[in-house]
Amino acid sequence: MTAAAGSPVIAVLGLGEAGGRFAADLAAAGARVRGYDPRVAAPPGVHDAADAAEACRGAALVLSVNSAADALDALAQGLPGCSPGTVWGELNTAAPAVKEAVQRAAGQCAVVADVAIMAPVPPRGLGTPMTASGPGAGPFAALLGPLGAPVEVLDGPVGLAATRKLLRCVFYKGMAAAAVEALAAARAAGLEQWLSGNIAEELTRADAATLDRLVTGSSTHAVRRTHEMEAAADLLDDLGVPARVARASRDWLRDLSAA
């Protein structure tokens, strides 16, 4: 789709896997998109800006899609091109303190929205669910919603969306780490196919009551399970597999038993 003269100008800073896909989808949806990334060229349909300030100049919305370490640097580079009404969408996965630092640094030069991307971007692109909080959350949703982005606006300050995202990460990424560690050990023991099928069966069987059973069972049987995970960690040592998750689980169970 060709961008209409009255369509919003959106800047995308960071054109990696997520930013590049967002930029391409926004252009396809009819927005006028300017992109900047010192390492990656802009996708077709997106103006390849010479620097971050040029990308942001005249933009109604800026999407900063970099990393937590680059969040403040991206803001410093882009802010000279912003005006007081510019909505700065802080999409980087970062701690609430980083999002708050971005808001302080933006001052009156831009309105900051703390945005959390709540699923992997590649399958759905601009259709990936997002949550947003802070003073820029409403305007962020109003600008992106008509272009096809599902944005849940949270009634709360900058940092709230990041808190939700990171709490979710503790579970999902922790579960992924446990699966990777267990399968590595199973592979070393010649039992990978068996364990893979067992894990898949457990995930398929899970229901709304599973969480309660996990939490209640861990507290009720903490002493026994502490010893089980100690034995599991010893097994991984013997197999030559780092027992990071196993020992962390043992330590959590030990704390539960003490409580």
Side-chain angles (χ1 to χ4, degrees):
M1 179 185 296
T2 303
S7 58
V9 175
I10 298 176
V12 180
L13 306 183
L15 298 170
E17 182 180 65
R21 179 64 186 273
F22 282 149
D25 286 1
L26 286 166
R32 291 179 288 167
V33 186
R34 301 178 189 150
Y36 174 70
D37 190 314
R39 295 172 294 277
V40 182
V46 175
H47 172 72
D48 203 349
D51 54 39
E54 182 195 321
C56 296
R57 196 161 289 115
L61 172 65
V62 179
L63 305 185
S64 179
V65 197
N66 299 282
S67 68
D70 296 325
L72 285 166
D73 188 49
L75 176 73
Q77 292 184 39
L79 209 55
C82 296
S83 60
T86 303
V87 178
W88 186 277
E90 182 54 50
L91 276 69
N92 304 302
T93 299
V98 173
K99 303 281 186 132
E100 293 162 0
V102 167
Q103 183 181 31
R104 288 194 299 272
Q108 301 301 311
C109 298
V111 183
V112 175
D114 167 19
V115 182
I117 304 170
M118 301 303 288
V121 172
R124 287 179 280 192
L126 192 58
T128 305
M130 291 179 266
T131 60
S133 66
F140 178 88
L143 286 163
L144 280 193
L147 296 170
V151 182
E152 178 188 4
V153 176
L154 305 177
D155 183 16
V158 162
L160 178 60
T163 298
R164 286 197 179 191
K165 167 73 178 278
L166 294 175
L167 289 174
R168 193 168 177 268
C169 283
V170 173
F171 170 67
Y172 278 102
K173 273 58 174 187
M175 180 174 63
V180 169
E181 181 171 299
L183 288 171
R187 189 178 311 119
L191 293 168
E192 183 178 13
Q193 185 173 357
W194 167 79
L195 185 60
S196 179
N198 186 269
I199 292 172
E201 182 181 337
E202 291 291 341
L203 291 174
T204 302
R205 194 166 51 201
D207 57 21
T210 300
L211 176 61
D212 182 62
R213 289 196 299 273
L214 291 172
V215 174
T216 302
S218 293
S219 295
T220 302
H221 307 292
V223 174
R224 173 172 58 79
R225 292 183 181 181
T226 298
H227 297 309
E228 289 176 352
M229 292 313 297
E230 182 65 51
D234 290 342
L235 170 65
L236 267 62
D237 288 343
D238 292 340
L239 293 169
V241 176
R244 301 183 184 98
V245 176
R247 287 202 163 86
S249 299
R250 176 206 61 191
D251 292 345
W252 263 110
L253 289 162
R254 183 179 289 158
D255 289 347
L256 287 172
S257 67

